Amino acid sequence: MLTAPTTQKQAEVVLGKIAQELHVPERDVLYQALRALLQQYVREINTQILEITGRYGISSVNEMAARYQAGTLEEADSWRDEQRLDHLEYKRERLGEFLEALG
């Protein structure tokens, strides 16, 4: 990962060098980089989701809400996790849509 701020021109130069080194078109480098980036974020999100769902023995934010309704989960201690899980599931869905759009 780049640590210093990169201008668009610098990024274009690096992209050209990578494509030349790999003997692939620049668009293929960009496509593969975007896919890899999105997949990495999805993996990180899945890890966070598994941490929360494992903590409560649930599979989704909907199941967590159902347990609140049934009175089998104490809301006072877990509402932040529910909000976080809801956000993570949404984010995973959006990133999945981007991956699908890439084909």
Side-chain angles (χ1 to χ4, degrees), residues 1 17 52 86:
M1 198 163 244
K17 289 179 181 180
I52 295 170
D86 187 43

Side-chain angles (χ1 to χ4, degrees), residues 10-55:
Q10 289 171 316
E12 289 171 5
V13 169
V14 171
L15 173 61
K17 289 179 181 180
I18 292 169
Q20 185 177 20
E21 183 71 26
L22 297 175
H23 304 288
V24 296
E26 289 181 11
R27 70 179 186 283
D28 289 354
V29 174
L30 287 173
Y31 170 81
Q32 291 177 30
L34 281 172
R35 279 194 72 73
L37 178 68
L38 290 170
Q39 289 168 339
Q40 176 185 339
Y41 276 105
V42 168
R43 280 191 301 274
E44 291 172 8
I45 288 168
N46 282 336
T47 299
Q48 293 174 43
I49 288 172
L50 284 173
E51 180 183 315
I52 295 170
T53 58
R55 186 177 308 136

Side-chain angles (χ1 to χ4, degrees), residues 45 61 82-92:
I45 288 168
V61 72
E82 181 191 25
Q83 289 178 337
R84 177 102 177 109
L85 181 58
D86 187 43
H87 173 73
L88 289 168
E89 287 181 356
Y90 170 78
K91 198 169 184 180
R92 178 176 61 185

Side-chain angles (χ1 to χ4, degrees), residues 56-85:
Y56 298 101
I58 56 169
S59 62
S60 69
V61 72
N62 290 335
E63 186 176 342
M64 194 171 198
R67 290 203 38 211
Y68 285 142
Q69 292 290 333
T72 59
L73 185 62
E74 188 63 42
E75 189 173 348
D77 297 329
S78 59
W79 67 271
R80 283 190 182 106
D81 283 338
E82 181 191 25
Q83 289 178 337
R84 177 102 177 109
L85 181 58

